[in-house]
Amino acid sequence: MQNVPETLYHEVKLLDKGIFPVPRVAFFTPTYVCNQRCYYCFYKDWNNKGIKEPTERIPEILEQLKDLGVSSIEFEGGGDPLCTKDIDKIFQKAADLQFNLGMITNGVNFKGAIADVFLKYGTYVRFSLDSVDPEIYKKVRGTDDFNTVIDNIRDALDKRVKIGSMCQLSVKIGLAKEVGYKEIHDVYNFFEGWGIDNIQVKNVWNKQGIPYRTDINRVGLQKLEDGQVIPIVKKVVYPKYMTENCWISPAQIAIDVFGDLYMCVYYMHRKNSHRIGNVFETPLKELWGSDTHKQVINNNKISECLKHNCRFMKYMRAIRKMQQKKNWEFI
């Protein structure tokens, strides 16, 4: 089987036997504070509530993840990671623990010491940038940060060259209702020659699980990409096929600044039912694969999963087909 290290092959084989694998990546929310207010964001009603976050305990979370055997961390989640107090020191701690580091950010604070340390140790940064039209940007994100973000991306690309960084820098376009093929094409033209590694196009959707744009598809994006220098990563799917409860979620881990461990990253609006426990109260090693963990998975509702653009739906369908054919190809 080709490219086994890049697949979920080993995790799936263990899960198929009822064995919880060591999750390869942790999706970590270091803060619920955000400096933007995108209208499509599921977390916008949770942001900036003035609740004290135990940022000083984040090193404990990192150490527990390392002790479990997790090898990579993606900083993302309910707020913008770069709104976290002393986030540059947290990045340094994660690097000292030899994690592979990735991040999704709006890019407003990607500068100074923060940019320096992440470019030195990080594997990738995805800048969320729905449009290069300042008016559309402001309408979607509720702020006038467009020029700041563009300057930060430009500076990051220059700095990456100067220090010989291998950190991948990409732009992620969320398909808000104002963003169509023209806007995607404009992003291509804007960043041509900058050195951006790729441009990702991904659905965004409302609380009912309906994408804001259903007219953007892979065929159209492929036509748009033809002849372009910057590759496009097509994360445009409309998964509405889920016939069994999710059992593949233990291939990854979702945890936040409060130490709360969740079944998966799509715990928005179902925090109570998705919560497995708290690593400040019970060690992560005891929570992972516990009876409570299994109960949370078993009690999960397919109808709620269908409201999210979850890649595991596609994985599960592919796995079942392979099991029926008794031919494991790629997962």
Side-chain angles (χ1 to χ4, degrees), residues 90-110:
I90 293 169
F91 290 153
Q92 183 65 58
K93 172 70 174 180
D96 291 343
L97 289 171
Q98 298 185 321
F99 284 110
N100 299 311
L101 305 181
M103 179 168 57
I104 300 175
T105 176
N106 58 38
V108 175
N109 291 335
F110 196 78

Side-chain angles (χ1 to χ4, degrees), residues 217-258:
N217 55 54
R218 289 172 176 267
V219 174
L221 290 173
Q222 185 59 55
K223 291 179 180 179
L224 192 66
E225 183 186 17
D226 290 343
Q228 298 285 352
V229 176
I230 307 173
I232 184 171
V233 179
K234 307 170 187 67
K235 294 188 175 181
V236 181
V237 292
Y238 306 96
K240 292 297 178 185
Y241 313 101
M242 189 173 176
T243 57
E244 62 179 325
N245 213 340
C246 181
W247 53 270
I248 199 174
S249 63
Q252 49 87 53
I253 190 169
I255 193 166
D256 71 6
V257 61
F258 296 103

Side-chain angles (χ1 to χ4, degrees), residues 186-310:
D186 289 345
V187 173
Y188 271 120
N189 289 341
F190 187 91
F191 285 108
E192 185 174 1
W194 282 45
I196 286 286
D197 290 287
N198 60 69
I199 293 174
Q200 301 193 10
V201 180
K202 188 174 182 179
N203 295 112
V204 292
W205 57 100
N206 62 23
K207 293 179 182 179
Q208 288 71 45
I210 301 172
Y212 284 100
R213 297 296 298 245
T214 57
D215 57 324
I216 308 297
N217 55 54
R218 289 172 176 267
V219 174
L221 290 173
Q222 185 59 55
K223 291 179 180 179
L224 192 66
E225 183 186 17
D226 290 343
Q228 298 285 352
V229 176
I230 307 173
I232 184 171
V233 179
K234 307 170 187 67
K235 294 188 175 181
V236 181
V237 292
Y238 306 96
K240 292 297 178 185
Y241 313 101
M242 189 173 176
T243 57
E244 62 179 325
N245 213 340
C246 181
W247 53 270
I248 199 174
S249 63
Q252 49 87 53
I253 190 169
I255 193 166
D256 71 6
V257 61
F258 296 103
D260 286 330
L261 176 68
Y262 295 98
M263 175 183 149
C264 74
V265 294
Y266 302 108
Y267 57 84
M268 301 86 84
H269 308 298
R270 47 182 178 169
K271 287 186 72 173
N272 292 333
S273 63
H274 256 43
R275 185 178 180 273
I276 299 166
N278 186 282
V279 302
F280 296 145
E281 299 170 359
T282 305
L284 177 57
K285 270 193 169 182
E286 294 181 21
L287 289 173
W288 193 256
S290 64
D291 290 341
T292 301
H293 192 169
K294 294 173 184 176
Q295 184 178 8
V296 168
I297 292 174
N298 290 335
N299 291 340
N300 182 52
K301 296 180 180 178
I302 293 176
S303 60
E304 292 296 319
C305 287
L306 289 174
K307 295 179 181 179
H308 300 280
N309 189 3
C310 174

Side-chain angles (χ1 to χ4, degrees), residues 39-92:
Y39 68 71
Y40 61 71
C41 179
F42 275 47
Y43 293 98
K44 62 180 180 294
D45 295 331
W46 301 358
N47 297 147
N48 310 317
K49 294 297 185 183
I51 300 173
K52 179 172 169 48
E53 297 176 336
T55 307
E56 71 281 356
R57 300 194 71 177
I58 288 178
E60 295 179 47
I61 296 174
L62 300 181
E63 288 164 359
Q64 289 202 46
L65 290 170
K66 191 66 178 180
D67 191 42
L68 184 65
V70 174
S71 58
S72 302
I73 298 177
E74 180 176 280
F75 291 86
E76 44 106 83
D80 188 86
L82 302 186
C83 290
T84 309
K85 180 183 178 183
D86 295 326
I87 189 64
D88 54 324
K89 296 177 182 177
I90 293 169
F91 290 153
Q92 183 65 58

